[in-house]
Amino acid sequence: YTQAECLLFFHLSGAGNLFLAGDPAQSVVRGVEFRFEDIRSVGYHIAGDRQDLIPLKPKTVNTNFRSHAGILGCAASILSQMFAQFPDSARQLGKDNGLFQGPRPGKLES
């Protein structure tokens, strides 16, 4: 979102009532990602004297609700190999945890 759109969100919801979520790992191009700093700067502008409404640091969620632990473990091993070979290729984030172990891999037969 642009800063103007964020400003509109803050105005519509009121100070202290807006919850935004973003994923910095979902960027496709270097330098183009969800920027928490942009949101925070608009929040400071809106909050005025109520600076206590603006969190000092974004909350980080490492629980993945869409994929089970088996898929996340496989993805983590692939990413660790990628970062070993290309350490500056992308931003390295914390490991995601799944809520469920998930089914064991199987063989598809047609």
Side-chain angles (χ1 to χ4, degrees):
Y1 298 106
T2 66
Q3 284 193 337
E5 290 169 325
C6 293
L7 185 62
L8 178 63
F9 294 152
F10 275 102
H11 273 301
L12 293 174
S13 67
N17 295 321
L18 183 63
F19 176 85
L20 296 173
D23 188 350
Q26 294 296 322
S27 62
V28 177
V29 178
R30 182 180 290 274
V32 179
E33 61 185 40
F34 185 88
R35 295 181 40 89
F36 291 104
E37 295 80 18
D38 291 343
I39 303 298
R40 192 175 298 118
S41 67
V42 173
Y44 280 120
H45 175 73
I46 293 296
D49 294 335
R50 298 291 317 271
Q51 299 298 310
D52 59 309
L53 296 173
I54 309 299
L56 296 177
K57 187 175 181 182
K59 305 284 188 244
T60 302
V61 178
N62 289 78
T63 302
N64 188 308
F65 297 96
R66 296 180 292 176
S67 300
H68 63 71
I71 291 173
L72 296 171
C74 179
S77 66
I78 292 169
L79 287 173
S80 69
Q81 292 297 316
M82 182 189 81
F83 287 125
Q85 297 298 316
F86 309 100
D88 297 325
S89 60
R91 184 174 170 200
Q92 296 185 37
L93 302 172
K95 183 180 174 188
D96 280 355
N97 302 306
L99 292 177
F100 305 102
Q101 192 61 13
R104 294 183 52 80
K107 185 171 105 176
L108 293 175
E109 296 184 29
S110 57

